[in-house]
PDB file of all heavy atoms in Angstrom:
ATOM      1  N   PRO A  83     110.873 109.392  89.608  1.00  0.00           N
ATOM      2  CA  PRO A  83     112.075 108.709  90.083  1.00  0.00           C
ATOM      3  C   PRO A  83     112.985 108.326  88.903  1.00  0.00           C
ATOM      4  O   PRO A  83     112.516 108.160  87.785  1.00  0.00           O
ATOM      5  CB  PRO A  83     111.554 107.502  90.834  1.00  0.00           C
ATOM      6  CG  PRO A  83     110.237 107.247  90.247  1.00  0.00           C
ATOM      7  CD  PRO A  83     109.671 108.564  89.885  1.00  0.00           C
ATOM      8  N   ILE A  84     114.260 108.149  89.233  1.00  0.00           N
ATOM      9  CA  ILE A  84     115.271 107.716  88.257  1.00  0.00           C
ATOM     10  C   ILE A  84     115.862 106.404  88.773  1.00  0.00           C
ATOM     11  O   ILE A  84     116.044 106.205  89.965  1.00  0.00           O
ATOM     12  CB  ILE A  84     116.393 108.779  88.125  1.00  0.00           C
ATOM     13  CG1 ILE A  84     115.844 110.089  87.557  1.00  0.00           C
ATOM     14  CG2 ILE A  84     117.541 108.238  87.252  1.00  0.00           C
ATOM     15  CD1 ILE A  84     115.454 110.011  86.097  1.00  0.00           C
ATOM     16  N   ALA A  85     116.147 105.520  87.848  1.00  0.00           N
ATOM     17  CA  ALA A  85     116.785 104.228  88.197  1.00  0.00           C
ATOM     18  C   ALA A  85     118.256 104.234  87.824  1.00  0.00           C
ATOM     19  O   ALA A  85     118.609 104.668  86.727  1.00  0.00           O
ATOM     20  CB  ALA A  85     116.090 103.054  87.498  1.00  0.00           C
ATOM     21  N   ASN A  86     119.108 103.789  88.753  1.00  0.00           N
ATOM     22  CA  ASN A  86     120.549 103.712  88.542  1.00  0.00           C
ATOM     23  C   ASN A  86     120.931 102.227  88.456  1.00  0.00           C
ATOM     24  O   ASN A  86     120.781 101.495  89.389  1.00  0.00           O
ATOM     25  CB  ASN A  86     121.285 104.376  89.726  1.00  0.00           C
ATOM     26  CG  ASN A  86     122.798 104.350  89.555  1.00  0.00           C
ATOM     27  OD1 ASN A  86     123.369 103.432  88.940  1.00  0.00           O
ATOM     28  ND2 ASN A  86     123.458 105.358  90.080  1.00  0.00           N
ATOM     29  N   CYS A  87     121.410 101.813  87.277  1.00  0.00           N
ATOM     30  CA  CYS A  87     121.853 100.440  87.059  1.00  0.00           C
ATOM     31  C   CYS A  87     123.319 100.482  86.652  1.00  0.00           C
ATOM     32  O   CYS A  87     123.658 100.845  85.532  1.00  0.00           O
ATOM     33  CB  CYS A  87     121.005  99.798  85.969  1.00  0.00           C
ATOM     34  SG  CYS A  87     121.565  98.122  85.523  1.00  0.00           S
ATOM     35  N   HIS A  88     124.202 100.197  87.610  1.00  0.00           N
ATOM     36  CA  HIS A  88     125.668 100.210  87.362  1.00  0.00           C
ATOM     37  C   HIS A  88     126.103 101.551  86.751  1.00  0.00           C
ATOM     38  O   HIS A  88     126.935 101.588  85.827  1.00  0.00           O
ATOM     39  CB  HIS A  88     126.064  99.074  86.429  1.00  0.00           C
ATOM     40  CG  HIS A  88     125.865  97.705  87.002  1.00  0.00           C
ATOM     41  ND1 HIS A  88     126.421  97.329  88.224  1.00  0.00           N
ATOM     42  CD2 HIS A  88     125.160  96.644  86.561  1.00  0.00           C
ATOM     43  CE1 HIS A  88     126.096  96.070  88.461  1.00  0.00           C
ATOM     44  NE2 HIS A  88     125.317  95.635  87.496  1.00  0.00           N
ATOM     45  N   GLY A  89     125.540 102.659  87.276  1.00  0.00           N
ATOM     46  CA  GLY A  89     125.951 103.992  86.801  1.00  0.00           C
ATOM     47  C   GLY A  89     125.230 104.453  85.555  1.00  0.00           C
ATOM     48  O   GLY A  89     125.444 105.593  85.107  1.00  0.00           O
ATOM     49  N   GLU A  90     124.377 103.632  84.988  1.00  0.00           N
ATOM     50  CA  GLU A  90     123.544 104.042  83.877  1.00  0.00           C
ATOM     51  C   GLU A  90     122.186 104.482  84.436  1.00  0.00           C
ATOM     52  O   GLU A  90     121.639 103.833  85.307  1.00  0.00           O
ATOM     53  CB  GLU A  90     123.330 102.899  82.886  1.00  0.00           C
ATOM     54  CG  GLU A  90     124.617 102.401  82.260  1.00  0.00           C
ATOM     55  CD  GLU A  90     124.379 101.152  81.411  1.00  0.00           C
ATOM     56  OE1 GLU A  90     123.250 100.603  81.421  1.00  0.00           O
ATOM     57  OE2 GLU A  90     125.317 100.716  80.722  1.00  0.00           O
ATOM     58  N   PHE A  91     121.650 105.605  83.920  1.00  0.00           N
ATOM     59  CA  PHE A  91     120.413 106.140  84.482  1.00  0.00           C
ATOM     60  C   PHE A  91     119.262 105.975  83.491  1.00  0.00           C
ATOM     61  O   PHE A  91     119.395 106.226  82.307  1.00  0.00           O
ATOM     62  CB  PHE A  91     120.601 107.623  84.824  1.00  0.00           C
ATOM     63  CG  PHE A  91     121.532 107.815  85.976  1.00  0.00           C
ATOM     64  CD1 PHE A  91     122.902 107.910  85.756  1.00  0.00           C
ATOM     65  CD2 PHE A  91     121.059 107.944  87.282  1.00  0.00           C
ATOM     66  CE1 PHE A  91     123.778 108.087  86.820  1.00  0.00           C
ATOM     67  CE2 PHE A  91     121.921 108.131  88.335  1.00  0.00           C
ATOM     68  CZ  PHE A  91     123.283 108.196  88.130  1.00  0.00           C
ATOM     69  N   TYR A  92     118.091 105.526  84.071  1.00  0.00           N
ATOM     70  CA  TYR A  92     116.912 105.282  83.262  1.00  0.00           C
ATOM     71  C   TYR A  92     115.695 105.942  83.935  1.00  0.00           C
ATOM     72  O   TYR A  92     115.564 105.938  85.165  1.00  0.00           O
ATOM     73  CB  TYR A  92     116.677 103.789  83.116  1.00  0.00           C
ATOM     74  CG  TYR A  92     117.824 103.072  82.461  1.00  0.00           C
ATOM     75  CD1 TYR A  92     118.800 102.450  83.211  1.00  0.00           C
ATOM     76  CD2 TYR A  92     117.905 103.018  81.060  1.00  0.00           C
ATOM     77  CE1 TYR A  92     119.878 101.776  82.585  1.00  0.00           C
ATOM     78  CE2 TYR A  92     118.958 102.363  80.420  1.00  0.00           C
ATOM     79  CZ  TYR A  92     119.951 101.743  81.186  1.00  0.00           C
ATOM     80  OH  TYR A  92     120.995 101.102  80.577  1.00  0.00           O
ATOM     81  N   HIS A  93     114.811 106.470  83.102  1.00  0.00           N
ATOM     82  CA  HIS A  93     113.585 107.070  83.617  1.00  0.00           C
ATOM     83  C   HIS A  93     112.601 106.049  84.120  1.00  0.00           C
ATOM     84  O   HIS A  93     112.522 104.930  83.530  1.00  0.00           O
ATOM     85  CB  HIS A  93     112.955 107.976  82.541  1.00  0.00           C
ATOM     86  CG  HIS A  93     113.672 109.261  82.339  1.00  0.00           C
ATOM     87  ND1 HIS A  93     114.735 109.391  81.441  1.00  0.00           N
ATOM     88  CD2 HIS A  93     113.501 110.474  82.909  1.00  0.00           C
ATOM     89  CE1 HIS A  93     115.179 110.641  81.467  1.00  0.00           C
ATOM     90  NE2 HIS A  93     114.452 111.313  82.352  1.00  0.00           N
ATOM     91  N   MET A  94     111.854 106.428  85.116  1.00  0.00           N
ATOM     92  CA  MET A  94     110.778 105.613  85.671  1.00  0.00           C
ATOM     93  C   MET A  94     109.490 106.458  85.617  1.00  0.00           C
ATOM     94  O   MET A  94     109.566 107.675  85.737  1.00  0.00           O
ATOM     95  CB  MET A  94     111.092 105.198  87.097  1.00  0.00           C
ATOM     96  CG  MET A  94     112.395 104.464  87.262  1.00  0.00           C
ATOM     97  SD  MET A  94     112.297 102.767  86.722  1.00  0.00           S
ATOM     98  CE  MET A  94     111.341 102.028  88.052  1.00  0.00           C
ATOM     99  N   PRO A  95     108.308 105.821  85.538  1.00  0.00           N
ATOM    100  CA  PRO A  95     108.097 104.405  85.291  1.00  0.00           C
ATOM    101  C   PRO A  95     108.545 104.077  83.848  1.00  0.00           C
ATOM    102  O   PRO A  95     108.958 104.946  83.107  1.00  0.00           O
ATOM    103  CB  PRO A  95     106.599 104.224  85.482  1.00  0.00           C
ATOM    104  CG  PRO A  95     106.035 105.541  85.050  1.00  0.00           C
ATOM    105  CD  PRO A  95     107.027 106.573  85.503  1.00  0.00           C
ATOM    106  N   PHE A  96     108.382 102.827  83.472  1.00  0.00           N
ATOM    107  CA  PHE A  96     108.837 102.422  82.141  1.00  0.00           C
ATOM    108  C   PHE A  96     107.986 103.115  81.084  1.00  0.00           C
ATOM    109  O   PHE A  96     106.777 102.879  80.952  1.00  0.00           O
ATOM    110  CB  PHE A  96     108.734 100.903  82.001  1.00  0.00           C
ATOM    111  CG  PHE A  96     109.445 100.175  83.115  1.00  0.00           C
ATOM    112  CD1 PHE A  96     108.862  99.089  83.720  1.00  0.00           C
ATOM    113  CD2 PHE A  96     110.705 100.562  83.546  1.00  0.00           C
ATOM    114  CE1 PHE A  96     109.512  98.403  84.764  1.00  0.00           C
ATOM    115  CE2 PHE A  96     111.367  99.912  84.578  1.00  0.00           C
ATOM    116  CZ  PHE A  96     110.784  98.851  85.186  1.00  0.00           C
ATOM    117  N   ASN A  97     108.615 103.976  80.319  1.00  0.00           N
ATOM    118  CA  ASN A  97     107.906 104.731  79.304  1.00  0.00           C
ATOM    119  C   ASN A  97     108.843 104.968  78.102  1.00  0.00           C
ATOM    120  O   ASN A  97     109.928 104.404  78.058  1.00  0.00           O
ATOM    121  CB  ASN A  97     107.410 106.083  79.893  1.00  0.00           C
ATOM    122  CG  ASN A  97     108.513 107.044  80.208  1.00  0.00           C
ATOM    123  OD1 ASN A  97     108.965 107.783  79.358  1.00  0.00           O
ATOM    124  ND2 ASN A  97     108.989 107.032  81.477  1.00  0.00           N
ATOM    125  N   MET A  98     108.441 105.756  77.137  1.00  0.00           N
ATOM    126  CA  MET A  98     109.202 105.905  75.914  1.00  0.00           C
ATOM    127  C   MET A  98     110.609 106.437  76.191  1.00  0.00           C
ATOM    128  O   MET A  98     111.566 106.128  75.444  1.00  0.00           O
ATOM    129  CB  MET A  98     108.462 106.776  74.931  1.00  0.00           C
ATOM    130  CG  MET A  98     107.292 106.100  74.205  1.00  0.00           C
ATOM    131  SD  MET A  98     107.801 104.565  73.327  1.00  0.00           S
ATOM    132  CE  MET A  98     109.064 105.166  72.183  1.00  0.00           C
ATOM    133  N   ASN A  99     110.787 107.248  77.230  1.00  0.00           N
ATOM    134  CA  ASN A  99     112.118 107.692  77.596  1.00  0.00           C
ATOM    135  C   ASN A  99     112.985 106.486  77.984  1.00  0.00           C
ATOM    136  O   ASN A  99     114.142 106.360  77.543  1.00  0.00           O
ATOM    137  CB  ASN A  99     112.072 108.672  78.763  1.00  0.00           C
ATOM    138  CG  ASN A  99     111.572 110.041  78.310  1.00  0.00           C
ATOM    139  OD1 ASN A  99     112.116 110.662  77.422  1.00  0.00           O
ATOM    140  ND2 ASN A  99     110.501 110.494  78.947  1.00  0.00           N
ATOM    141  N   THR A 100     112.415 105.597  78.786  1.00  0.00           N
ATOM    142  CA  THR A 100     113.137 104.378  79.195  1.00  0.00           C
ATOM    143  C   THR A 100     113.491 103.501  77.992  1.00  0.00           C
ATOM    144  O   THR A 100     114.618 103.027  77.859  1.00  0.00           O
ATOM    145  CB  THR A 100     112.302 103.535  80.180  1.00  0.00           C
ATOM    146  OG1 THR A 100     111.554 104.393  81.053  1.00  0.00           O
ATOM    147  CG2 THR A 100     113.167 102.622  80.995  1.00  0.00           C
ATOM    148  N   PHE A 101     112.536 103.272  77.140  1.00  0.00           N
ATOM    149  CA  PHE A 101     112.746 102.407  75.998  1.00  0.00           C
ATOM    150  C   PHE A 101     113.828 102.984  75.063  1.00  0.00           C
ATOM    151  O   PHE A 101     114.643 102.250  74.472  1.00  0.00           O
ATOM    152  CB  PHE A 101     111.437 102.199  75.235  1.00  0.00           C
ATOM    153  CG  PHE A 101     110.293 101.726  76.093  1.00  0.00           C
ATOM    154  CD1 PHE A 101     109.006 102.166  75.868  1.00  0.00           C
ATOM    155  CD2 PHE A 101     110.508 100.875  77.178  1.00  0.00           C
ATOM    156  CE1 PHE A 101     107.948 101.777  76.677  1.00  0.00           C
ATOM    157  CE2 PHE A 101     109.469 100.444  77.986  1.00  0.00           C
ATOM    158  CZ  PHE A 101     108.190 100.900  77.724  1.00  0.00           C
ATOM    159  N   HIS A 102     113.796 104.303  74.904  1.00  0.00           N
ATOM    160  CA  HIS A 102     114.831 104.928  74.064  1.00  0.00           C
ATOM    161  C   HIS A 102     116.238 104.786  74.691  1.00  0.00           C
ATOM    162  O   HIS A 102     117.216 104.519  74.017  1.00  0.00           O
ATOM    163  CB  HIS A 102     114.534 106.427  73.828  1.00  0.00           C
ATOM    164  CG  HIS A 102     115.558 107.122  73.017  1.00  0.00           C
ATOM    165  ND1 HIS A 102     115.713 106.932  71.678  1.00  0.00           N
ATOM    166  CD2 HIS A 102     116.530 108.025  73.394  1.00  0.00           C
ATOM    167  CE1 HIS A 102     116.709 107.687  71.241  1.00  0.00           C
ATOM    168  NE2 HIS A 102     117.222 108.343  72.267  1.00  0.00           N
ATOM    169  N   GLU A 103     116.266 104.978  76.021  1.00  0.00           N
ATOM    170  CA  GLU A 103     117.558 104.824  76.728  1.00  0.00           C
ATOM    171  C   GLU A 103     118.115 103.404  76.639  1.00  0.00           C
ATOM    172  O   GLU A 103     119.335 103.194  76.584  1.00  0.00           O
ATOM    173  CB  GLU A 103     117.359 105.272  78.199  1.00  0.00           C
ATOM    174  CG  GLU A 103     117.122 106.767  78.371  1.00  0.00           C
ATOM    175  CD  GLU A 103     116.343 107.120  79.620  1.00  0.00           C
ATOM    176  OE1 GLU A 103     115.905 106.195  80.325  1.00  0.00           O
ATOM    177  OE2 GLU A 103     116.172 108.325  79.871  1.00  0.00           O
ATOM    178  N   LEU A 104     117.204 102.431  76.663  1.00  0.00           N
ATOM    179  CA  LEU A 104     117.618 101.034  76.595  1.00  0.00           C
ATOM    180  C   LEU A 104     117.960 100.541  75.192  1.00  0.00           C
ATOM    181  O   LEU A 104     118.978  99.869  75.002  1.00  0.00           O
ATOM    182  CB  LEU A 104     116.525 100.155  77.197  1.00  0.00           C
ATOM    183  CG  LEU A 104     116.348 100.147  78.727  1.00  0.00           C
ATOM    184  CD1 LEU A 104     114.997  99.529  79.086  1.00  0.00           C
ATOM    185  CD2 LEU A 104     117.477  99.401  79.394  1.00  0.00           C
ATOM    186  N   TRP A 105     117.109 100.875  74.243  1.00  0.00           N
ATOM    187  CA  TRP A 105     117.192 100.258  72.911  1.00  0.00           C
ATOM    188  C   TRP A 105     117.370 101.236  71.776  1.00  0.00           C
ATOM    189  O   TRP A 105     117.570 100.836  70.623  1.00  0.00           O
ATOM    190  CB  TRP A 105     115.914  99.453  72.629  1.00  0.00           C
ATOM    191  CG  TRP A 105     115.670  98.346  73.624  1.00  0.00           C
ATOM    192  CD1 TRP A 105     116.568  97.389  74.047  1.00  0.00           C
ATOM    193  CD2 TRP A 105     114.452  98.042  74.289  1.00  0.00           C
ATOM    194  NE1 TRP A 105     115.979  96.533  74.942  1.00  0.00           N
ATOM    195  CE2 TRP A 105     114.664  96.892  75.096  1.00  0.00           C
ATOM    196  CE3 TRP A 105     113.168  98.588  74.308  1.00  0.00           C
ATOM    197  CZ2 TRP A 105     113.704  96.350  75.904  1.00  0.00           C
ATOM    198  CZ3 TRP A 105     112.201  98.027  75.090  1.00  0.00           C
ATOM    199  CH2 TRP A 105     112.453  96.915  75.903  1.00  0.00           C
ATOM    200  N   GLY A 106     117.247 102.559  72.066  1.00  0.00           N
ATOM    201  CA  GLY A 106     117.373 103.520  71.003  1.00  0.00           C
ATOM    202  C   GLY A 106     116.140 103.694  70.159  1.00  0.00           C
ATOM    203  O   GLY A 106     116.121 104.403  69.156  1.00  0.00           O
ATOM    204  N   VAL A 107     115.021 103.036  70.527  1.00  0.00           N
ATOM    205  CA  VAL A 107     113.788 103.130  69.789  1.00  0.00           C
ATOM    206  C   VAL A 107     113.143 104.528  69.981  1.00  0.00           C
ATOM    207  O   VAL A 107     113.361 105.176  70.991  1.00  0.00           O
ATOM    208  CB  VAL A 107     112.766 102.036  70.169  1.00  0.00           C
ATOM    209  CG1 VAL A 107     113.349 100.668  69.890  1.00  0.00           C
ATOM    210  CG2 VAL A 107     112.394 102.159  71.671  1.00  0.00           C
ATOM    211  N   THR A 108     112.382 104.956  69.017  1.00  0.00           N
ATOM    212  CA  THR A 108     111.775 106.286  69.074  1.00  0.00           C
ATOM    213  C   THR A 108     110.247 106.278  68.918  1.00  0.00           C
ATOM    214  O   THR A 108     109.628 107.326  69.082  1.00  0.00           O
ATOM    215  CB  THR A 108     112.390 107.185  67.996  1.00  0.00           C
ATOM    216  OG1 THR A 108     112.146 106.584  66.698  1.00  0.00           O
ATOM    217  CG2 THR A 108     113.878 107.414  68.227  1.00  0.00           C
ATOM    218  N   THR A 109     109.694 105.124  68.612  1.00  0.00           N
ATOM    219  CA  THR A 109     108.218 105.063  68.440  1.00  0.00           C
ATOM    220  C   THR A 109     107.632 103.967  69.342  1.00  0.00           C
ATOM    221  O   THR A 109     108.333 103.020  69.722  1.00  0.00           O
ATOM    222  CB  THR A 109     107.837 104.756  66.990  1.00  0.00           C
ATOM    223  OG1 THR A 109     108.212 103.412  66.683  1.00  0.00           O
ATOM    224  CG2 THR A 109     108.507 105.750  66.036  1.00  0.00           C
ATOM    225  N   ALA A 110     106.357 104.135  69.651  1.00  0.00           N
ATOM    226  CA  ALA A 110     105.663 103.154  70.470  1.00  0.00           C
ATOM    227  C   ALA A 110     105.645 101.782  69.778  1.00  0.00           C
ATOM    228  O   ALA A 110     105.758 100.746  70.424  1.00  0.00           O
ATOM    229  CB  ALA A 110     104.216 103.603  70.766  1.00  0.00           C
ATOM    230  N   GLU A 111     105.503 101.772  68.483  1.00  0.00           N
ATOM    231  CA  GLU A 111     105.471 100.528  67.724  1.00  0.00           C
ATOM    232  C   GLU A 111     106.800  99.759  67.874  1.00  0.00           C
ATOM    233  O   GLU A 111     106.785  98.531  68.052  1.00  0.00           O
ATOM    234  CB  GLU A 111     105.182 100.771  66.233  1.00  0.00           C
ATOM    235  CG  GLU A 111     103.759 101.246  65.952  1.00  0.00           C
ATOM    236  CD  GLU A 111     103.480 102.668  66.425  1.00  0.00           C
ATOM    237  OE1 GLU A 111     104.436 103.446  66.594  1.00  0.00           O
ATOM    238  OE2 GLU A 111     102.265 102.985  66.682  1.00  0.00           O
ATOM    239  N   GLU A 112     107.911 100.476  67.820  1.00  0.00           N
ATOM    240  CA  GLU A 112     109.208  99.825  67.945  1.00  0.00           C
ATOM    241  C   GLU A 112     109.362  99.260  69.359  1.00  0.00           C
ATOM    242  O   GLU A 112     109.889  98.155  69.551  1.00  0.00           O
ATOM    243  CB  GLU A 112     110.312 100.854  67.650  1.00  0.00           C
ATOM    244  CG  GLU A 112     110.454 101.274  66.241  1.00  0.00           C
ATOM    245  CD  GLU A 112     111.501 102.360  66.079  1.00  0.00           C
ATOM    246  OE1 GLU A 112     111.349 103.417  66.724  1.00  0.00           O
ATOM    247  OE2 GLU A 112     112.484 102.141  65.328  1.00  0.00           O
ATOM    248  N   ALA A 113     108.971 100.016  70.375  1.00  0.00           N
ATOM    249  CA  ALA A 113     109.073  99.588  71.756  1.00  0.00           C
ATOM    250  C   ALA A 113     108.192  98.359  72.010  1.00  0.00           C
ATOM    251  O   ALA A 113     108.627  97.367  72.626  1.00  0.00           O
ATOM    252  CB  ALA A 113     108.675 100.699  72.681  1.00  0.00           C
ATOM    253  N   LYS A 114     106.968  98.379  71.520  1.00  0.00           N
ATOM    254  CA  LYS A 114     106.065  97.248  71.705  1.00  0.00           C
ATOM    255  C   LYS A 114     106.612  95.980  71.035  1.00  0.00           C
ATOM    256  O   LYS A 114     106.499  94.879  71.572  1.00  0.00           O
ATOM    257  CB  LYS A 114     104.693  97.591  71.182  1.00  0.00           C
ATOM    258  CG  LYS A 114     103.912  98.606  72.004  1.00  0.00           C
ATOM    259  CD  LYS A 114     102.598  98.949  71.374  1.00  0.00           C
ATOM    260  CE  LYS A 114     101.851  99.978  72.203  1.00  0.00           C
ATOM    261  NZ  LYS A 114     100.535 100.387  71.599  1.00  0.00           N
ATOM    262  N   ALA A 115     107.175  96.188  69.826  1.00  0.00           N
ATOM    263  CA  ALA A 115     107.762  95.046  69.101  1.00  0.00           C
ATOM    264  C   ALA A 115     108.923  94.441  69.866  1.00  0.00           C
ATOM    265  O   ALA A 115     109.073  93.208  69.933  1.00  0.00           O
ATOM    266  CB  ALA A 115     108.178  95.470  67.697  1.00  0.00           C
ATOM    267  N   LYS A 116     109.751  95.283  70.466  1.00  0.00           N
ATOM    268  CA  LYS A 116     110.905  94.822  71.238  1.00  0.00           C
ATOM    269  C   LYS A 116     110.450  94.013  72.468  1.00  0.00           C
ATOM    270  O   LYS A 116     110.953  92.932  72.756  1.00  0.00           O
ATOM    271  CB  LYS A 116     111.773  95.990  71.674  1.00  0.00           C
ATOM    272  CG  LYS A 116     113.086  95.649  72.269  1.00  0.00           C
ATOM    273  CD  LYS A 116     114.045  95.068  71.274  1.00  0.00           C
ATOM    274  CE  LYS A 116     115.421  94.805  71.883  1.00  0.00           C
ATOM    275  NZ  LYS A 116     116.333  94.141  70.904  1.00  0.00           N
ATOM    276  N   ILE A 117     109.463  94.558  73.154  1.00  0.00           N
ATOM    277  CA  ILE A 117     108.962  93.867  74.365  1.00  0.00           C
ATOM    278  C   ILE A 117     108.274  92.563  73.969  1.00  0.00           C
ATOM    279  O   ILE A 117     108.461  91.526  74.626  1.00  0.00           O
ATOM    280  CB  ILE A 117     107.990  94.797  75.141  1.00  0.00           C
ATOM    281  CG1 ILE A 117     108.760  95.942  75.759  1.00  0.00           C
ATOM    282  CG2 ILE A 117     107.241  94.031  76.226  1.00  0.00           C
ATOM    283  CD1 ILE A 117     107.877  97.001  76.388  1.00  0.00           C
TER     284      ILE A 117
END
Side-chain angles (χ1 to χ4, degrees):
I84 296 289
N86 181 329
C87 175
H88 295 305
E90 299 173 352
F91 291 86
Y92 299 95
H93 285 88
M94 303 285 286
F96 307 135
N97 69 86
M98 284 304 301
N99 286 304
T100 323
F101 308 143
H102 178 72
E103 291 154 354
L104 285 166
W105 299 312
V107 299
T108 58
T109 68
E111 290 71 23
E112 291 175 300
K114 289 177 181 179
K116 189 70 176 175
I117 291 172

